[in-house]
Amino acid sequence: VGQINGSGWFFGMRYNTKETLTSFDQVKDIATDLKNNGVDALNMKVTGWFNGGYEPGWVDKIKVARQLGGEDGFNAMLSDLAKKGVKVY
């Protein structure tokens, strides 16, 4: 899960952007696939999901990345993983 800093070009001008690595919905799909293929004990580490991804800088307030699914997507992911018995760190 997470975002990394990236860049792009628009009319010859470079700009900064965030590149999505894995969305919250994709995490749920990965956990489902693993469970369906016999992985019983599953622990997942979720990083890079707030305040700009893997390089958040100074953190005084947590803001879930909209591009990954936002706060609703994050809570839905946690709920889905908990129902599957997946531990999230």
Side-chain angles (χ1 to χ4, degrees):
V1 172
Q3 294 178 308
I4 56 172
N5 292 328
S7 63
W9 293 90
F10 185 73
F11 287 111
M13 300 292 293
R14 186 177 177 157
Y15 64 93
N16 295 327
T17 184
K18 298 290 182 187
E19 301 291 330
T20 298
L21 300 175
T22 308
S23 70
F24 300 137
D25 283 338
Q26 290 171 321
V27 170
K28 293 189 302 186
D29 293 341
I30 291 167
T32 298
D33 288 344
L34 290 169
K35 286 291 197 172
N36 289 341
N37 286 290
V39 177
D40 293 324
L42 183 59
N43 299 322
M44 299 184 89
K45 181 178 178 185
V46 180
T47 58
W49 55 269
F50 68 94
N51 294 22
Y54 284 100
E55 299 173 4
W58 178 259
V59 177
D60 61 349
K61 182 179 178 184
I62 300 294
K63 183 176 178 187
V64 179
R66 179 182 46 84
Q67 297 89 338
L68 302 178
E71 191 170 336
D72 290 340
F74 181 72
N75 289 328
M77 177 194 69
L78 292 177
S79 175
D80 186 72
L81 295 177
K83 288 176 187 173
K84 289 178 172 65
V86 177
K87 294 181 181 178
V88 180
Y89 300 94

